[in-house]
């Protein structure tokens, strides 16, 4: 798991369905962030959750953080074709982001 | 919305040659970073830079690598003598704070191909 791998590595769902991705990490963190990467493009920041927060929402995104289990999940509701991308969680600590291997999400129209 | 810009988008270089990758961070940001992503692999941290000095670097960032902020807007990564294994996508990022509250904003990257 991230720092780490993400779970699942790949996910294909029908447009309109919800997508859930999970990551876990190993060290203590200041915050955990989720990024999206479209093929051949840079990383787009989606949402940041601080270590003292348990849940955060932004539009169709919902992120949870369980520091006791060192895990986080990203839920995308009512998926759209444009959500097709790779999603990475990244933990911030020691002045840097540590990324996992990501989940490749494909939305089927 | 302000963004991080990187040039060139693609750089092809012969092994052993020097290469400089350029970045213009978001103007009011104070913390700067380089990451790289080898094809099909994780995004890896290279170096962080603040107040004109390196604040953290990874094992990847050896003596062949250097960073510089030559003026008030540019932030560069230099690889002195490139190797085949330096082929990767290099991302520049910047943030307002140390990253504890504000996220890092990434550029679209420079694809570096070493022949």
């Amino acid at each position: 798991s991230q720092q780490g791998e993400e779970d699942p590595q790949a996910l294909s769902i029908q447009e309109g369905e919800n997508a859930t991705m999970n990551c876990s990490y190993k060290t203590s963190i200041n915050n955990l962030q989720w990024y999206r990467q479209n093929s051949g493009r840079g990383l787009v920041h989606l949402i940041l959750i601080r270590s003292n927060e348990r849940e955060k929402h932004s539009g169709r995104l919902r992120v949870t953080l369980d520091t006791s289990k060192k895990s986080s999940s990203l839920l995308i509701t009512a998926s759209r074709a444009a959500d097709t991308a790779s999603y990475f969680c990244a933990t911030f600590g020691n002045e840097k982001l540590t990324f996992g291997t990501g989940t490749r999400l494909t939305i089927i129209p | 919305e302000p963004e991080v810009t990187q040039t060139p988008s693609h750089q092809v270089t012969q092994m052993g040659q020097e290469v400089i990758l350029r970045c213009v961070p978001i103007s009011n940001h104070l913390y700067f970073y380089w990451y790289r992503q080898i094809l099909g692999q994780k995004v890896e941290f290279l170096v962080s830079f603040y107040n004109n000095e390196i604040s953290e670097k990874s094992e990847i960032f050896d003596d062949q690598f250097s960073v510089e902020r030559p003026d008030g807007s540019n932030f560069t990564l230099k690889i002195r003598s490139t190797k085949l294994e330096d082929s990767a996508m290099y991302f520049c990022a910047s943030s307002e704070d140390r990253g504890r509250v504000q996220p890092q904003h990434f550029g679209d990257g420079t694809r570096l191909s070493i022949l």
Side-chain angles (χ1 to χ4, degrees):
Chain A
S1 301
Q2 292 197 18
Q3 295 161 342
E5 301 105 35
E6 286 205 30
D7 169 33
Q9 290 187 347
L11 178 63
S12 291
I13 59 173
Q14 294 289 333
E15 191 169 18
E17 293 181 340
N18 297 340
T20 300
M21 289 159 268
N22 304 294
C23 86
S24 58
Y25 56 93
K26 296 174 183 171
T27 62
S28 62
I29 61 170
N30 297 112
N31 62 60
L32 186 144
Q33 302 176 38
W34 286 86
Y35 285 83
R36 184 185 75 226
Q37 185 181 36
N38 290 87
S39 182
R41 300 297 301 275
L43 295 148
V44 175
H45 179 260
L46 296 176
I47 196 164
L48 180 154
I49 186 165
R50 298 169 70 174
S51 58
N52 61 352
E53 297 176 307
R54 293 296 166 258
E55 188 170 312
K56 202 159 182 182
H57 297 254
S58 177
R60 295 185 294 114
L61 305 180
R62 174 177 163 254
V63 168
T64 62
L65 179 64
D66 187 335
T67 52
S68 66
K69 295 181 180 176
K70 290 186 165 59
S71 67
S72 175
S73 67
L74 171 68
L75 168 68
I76 304 173
T77 60
S79 61
R80 303 168 182 168
D83 295 330
T84 294
S86 291
Y87 291 81
F88 298 87
C89 81
T91 53
F92 183 79
N94 294 328
E95 310 297 327
K96 65 185 182 225
L97 286 172
T98 301
F99 287 84
T101 51
T103 293
R104 176 71 193 164
L105 175 65
T106 302
I107 308 301
I108 303 165
Chain B
E1 185 176 324
E3 56 183 29
V4 176
T5 57
Q6 289 186 243
T7 56
S9 56
H10 192 188
Q11 174 81 45
V12 181
T13 301
Q14 291 287 331
M15 186 173 61
Q17 295 295 306
E18 174 184 286
V19 67
I20 297 175
L21 309 182
R22 302 180 192 279
C23 169
V24 179
I26 295 173
S27 61
N28 64 331
H29 286 186
L30 301 175
Y31 297 82
F32 313 111
Y33 310 85
W34 284 100
Y35 293 82
R36 79 172 187 191
Q37 186 180 31
I38 295 171
L39 187 64
Q41 297 187 24
K42 295 182 189 182
V43 176
E44 301 173 289
F45 169 78
L46 293 177
V47 65
S48 60
F49 190 86
Y50 169 70
N51 200 27
N52 281 320
E53 59 183 32
I54 291 172
S55 45
E56 185 74 29
K57 62 181 181 179
S58 71
E59 292 176 353
I60 303 167
F61 195 88
D62 61 22
D63 292 345
Q64 293 300 311
F65 291 85
S66 62
V67 288
E68 194 177 32
R69 189 154 163 81
D71 53 41
S73 58
N74 290 284
F75 179 51
T76 63
L77 174 69
K78 182 194 288 187
I79 309 175
R80 277 183 251 288
S81 178
T82 50
K83 308 182 184 93
L84 292 176
E85 54 264 38
D86 293 328
S87 294
M89 196 78 167
Y90 287 80
F91 294 106
C92 173
S94 68
S95 64
E96 285 183 65
D97 68 0
R98 297 187 96 95
R100 295 168 199 272
V101 176
Q102 297 298 326
Q104 294 179 22
H105 295 265
F106 284 75
D108 276 343
T110 293
R111 181 170 300 284
L112 179 62
S113 301
I114 308 301
L115 305 178

